[in-house]
Amino acid sequence: MVTIEEAHKIIKDQQVKLKTETRKLSDCFGYSLSENIIAPFDMPSFDNSAMDGYALCGISQEYIIIGEVAAGDKKDFILKKGEAVRIFTGAKVPENTSAVMMQEKTNVQGNKLTLDQMPKEAQNIRRKGEELIQGQVVFEKGTAITPAGIGLIGSLGIQKVEVYKKPLINLITTGNELIDPGKPRAEGQIYESNSYALASACEQFGFKCENKKQIEDDFEAIKSGIKKSLETTDVLILSGGISVGDYDFVKQALEENGVEEQFYKVFQKPGKPLYFGRKEDKFVFALPGNPASSLTCFYVYVVPFLYQLSGSAKSGLQRYYFPISNDFENRGDRPSFFKATINNGEVEILDGQGSSIILSMAHGNALAFIDAETSLKKGEKLECLLIS
Ligand code: AMP
Ligand code: MG
């Protein structure tokens, strides 16, 4: 049995080989860069107008209009003092432009331009290189690519980027009692829901579960299911059968497949029977079958590792500190993750904390961490993981 901190450390300390690939700009959201992105040119690459209005040469209130330049125009005016051109947002400002006056503050009669106010030197001109300069490191290797990041990379004319590959994930659920939703249910059976919850939790963090399989509590079937899955996957996630019951075959089946235990059992609630193992470059999490336990273990341990395997700098779910809405005591002897709701800046611990109870987790939006045998007074802050 390990502590929560030890479990995190064992996961973090795994030596992993990161794989890279080239991805199109349109297809790299949520990946992490495996290269630095360097600006190939200054941005903006030419002085341009921030407004629809008039580009002016010299500072006065009267000008003669000598032409027009729109965004994308290649025309090259050279202004003389007292001259102006009609200009539009994003258009290249002519040589010798002192300022651009927005059109709302101008009056035009024929080719005569009169301004409502004196222009200020350099007003409304976006200068070449004011955003970034050629050769500047725009993103460091390891940065997660966001929509704004994609916008920036695209604006630099870069169409393909080198990123870390995301791990291939397989899911195996075990249990004789499990049937798929939609099928008629016999006495003693329950609907298999963990694979749906876990696969969508993968998606929640930008990962995809490639393959999922349901296997009965049969040692040989579980053993061969694991063997097959390990041939293709990077991370195998199992649910159920990892506790100490007579029908819990997962641990032995992993051992017989040559998977080496990194830890088994974590001193926590829920999710004590959590297992983590590896076989060469393949990793296995065996999560307890109870629905709230399996999802809690996924959020707390699997997500950080999936980030790690995909070269991300993120260390897991966002952690926040919020004041608790009522006095509360964790009477248990294990540090615990409580199903909770963060609302109006306060965290409320929900009714229904049993490992099997998914209702409170489905209605809540956070996991609140409280140490063993700890009393909290209303208003005391506690650490929360935001799960939705
Ligand atoms: P186990 O970890 O296999 O002992 O299962 C613990 C509890 O979780 C039992 O009540 C199981 O019926 C339930 N359970 C196991 N796997 C699933 C699953 N995939 N979906 C829903 N409930 C499950
Ligand atoms: Mg079971």
Side-chain angles (χ1 to χ4, degrees):
M1 180 114 66
V2 295
T3 65
I4 294 170
E5 292 72 31
E6 285 163 348
H8 278 301
K9 186 166 178 348
I10 291 168
I11 291 172
K12 201 162 171 250
D13 288 348
Q14 295 299 316
Q15 295 291 326
V16 296
K17 275 197 205 130
L18 301 180
K19 300 173 201 159
T20 63
E21 62 182 336
T22 307
R23 292 192 83 86
K24 286 193 291 189
L25 185 63
S26 55
D27 214 12
C28 67
F29 168 64
Y31 284 79
S32 294
L33 290 164
S34 62
E35 60 173 353
N36 288 345
I37 300 285
I38 313 280
F41 49 77
D42 291 349
M43 209 167 81
S45 56
F46 51 89
D47 291 354
N48 68 90
S49 176
M51 293 282 171
D52 294 325
Y54 291 85
L56 317 165
C57 183
I59 300 296
S60 89
Q61 275 184 274
E62 286 180 6
Y63 298 86
I64 301 293
I65 302 167
I66 61 156
E68 176 182 297
V69 49
D73 278 359
K74 290 201 191 78
K75 277 183 245 167
D76 253 339
F77 288 98
I78 302 177
L79 294 180
K80 295 201 214 70
K81 206 162 180 190
E83 288 181 343
V85 291
R86 178 87 171 107
I87 197 162
F88 300 93
T89 306
K92 185 174 174 194
V93 297
E95 219 172 287
N96 301 332
T97 298
S98 309
V100 170
M101 181 56 74
M102 64 199 295
Q103 69 189 38
E104 292 86 338
K105 292 179 179 162
T106 64
N107 303 287
V108 176
Q109 269 186 332
N111 67 347
K112 284 211 175 88
L113 172 72
T114 317
L115 309 185
D116 295 347
Q117 55 184 222
M118 279 298 251
K120 290 193 190 89
E121 189 75 37
Q123 189 178 8
N124 296 325
I125 300 174
R126 301 193 285 220
R127 289 291 179 202
K128 178 176 190 286
E130 83 177 16
E131 191 167 347
L132 47 91
I133 53 168
Q134 184 178 358
Q136 189 174 327
V137 178
V138 176
F139 286 124
E140 305 250 355
K141 182 173 163 172
T143 307
I145 306 174
T146 61
I150 289 178
L152 176 56
I153 294 167
S155 69
L156 295 172
I158 298 168
Q159 194 209 4
K160 288 178 180 165
V161 287
E162 289 294 312
V163 298
Y164 292 110
K165 271 188 169 177
K166 290 193 186 182
L168 286 174
I169 303 169
N170 273 14
L171 207 54
I172 294 179
T173 50
T174 65
N176 284 344
E177 72 281 30
L178 305 173
I179 51 160
D180 220 24
K183 299 224 171 94
R185 186 173 51 87
E187 191 70 27
Q189 291 186 315
I190 66 160
Y191 287 116
E192 193 289 294
S193 59
N194 286 354
S195 72
Y196 294 91
L198 293 168
S200 62
C202 285
E203 279 179 41
Q204 188 183 349
F205 296 92
F207 299 101
K208 195 162 173 269
C209 169
E210 299 295 328
N211 201 356
K212 64 176 204 175
K213 200 181 218 171
Q214 156 61 24
I215 304 180
E216 307 221 309
D217 289 318
D218 175 284
F219 178 72
E220 288 304 328
I222 293 175
K223 188 175 152 187
S224 76
I226 290 171
K227 180 173 188 290
K228 189 144 185 286
S229 179
L230 285 176
E231 284 163 12
T232 55
T233 193
D234 297 314
V235 180
L236 169 60
I237 301 170
L238 290 124
S239 132
I242 190 65
S243 202
V244 292
D246 289 353
Y247 295 93
D248 291 337
F249 299 124
V250 168
K251 188 164 178 288
Q252 198 191 337
L254 287 167
E255 275 162 19
E256 293 203 11
N257 270 296
V259 177
E260 288 170 17
E261 179 188 314
Q262 306 298 301
F263 65 73
Y264 175 49
K265 293 195 176 165
V266 181
F267 193 63
Q268 64 178 2
K269 199 176 171 200
K272 190 167 102 177
L274 174 65
Y275 169 101
F276 176 53
R278 89 178 275 175
K279 183 180 181 181
E280 291 145 21
D281 289 332
K282 321 257 175 198
F283 295 87
V284 180
F285 285 92
L287 314 179
N290 270 315
S293 303
S294 69
L295 204 47
T296 299
C297 288
F298 183 88
Y299 284 134
V300 177
Y301 301 99
V302 184
V303 173
F305 189 63
L306 295 179
Y307 277 141
Q308 198 173 318
L309 273 189
S310 55
S312 169
K314 289 188 201 166
S315 57
L317 273 70
Q318 294 270 27
R319 283 162 198 266
Y320 297 93
Y321 286 83
F322 282 103
I324 194 163
S325 63
N326 290 95
D327 291 359
F328 188 82
E329 189 180 359
N330 178 10
R331 292 204 188 93
D333 65 346
R334 283 175 275 158
S336 306
F337 297 94
F338 287 93
K339 291 165 264 189
T341 295
I342 296 168
N343 199 7
N344 290 330
E346 280 189 333
V347 52
E348 180 193 350
I349 307 294
L350 299 171
D351 288 338
Q353 290 296 335
S355 301
S356 63
I357 299 178
I358 196 79
L359 178 73
S360 48
M361 201 166 186
H363 287 174
N365 59 14
L367 292 171
F369 177 76
I370 307 179
D371 227 328
E373 290 154 4
T374 299
S375 296
L376 292 172
K377 288 267 169 258
K378 175 179 161 63
E380 273 189 70
K381 285 195 174 171
L382 72 170
E383 186 184 89
C384 299
L385 298 177
L386 217 55
I387 63 166
S388 65

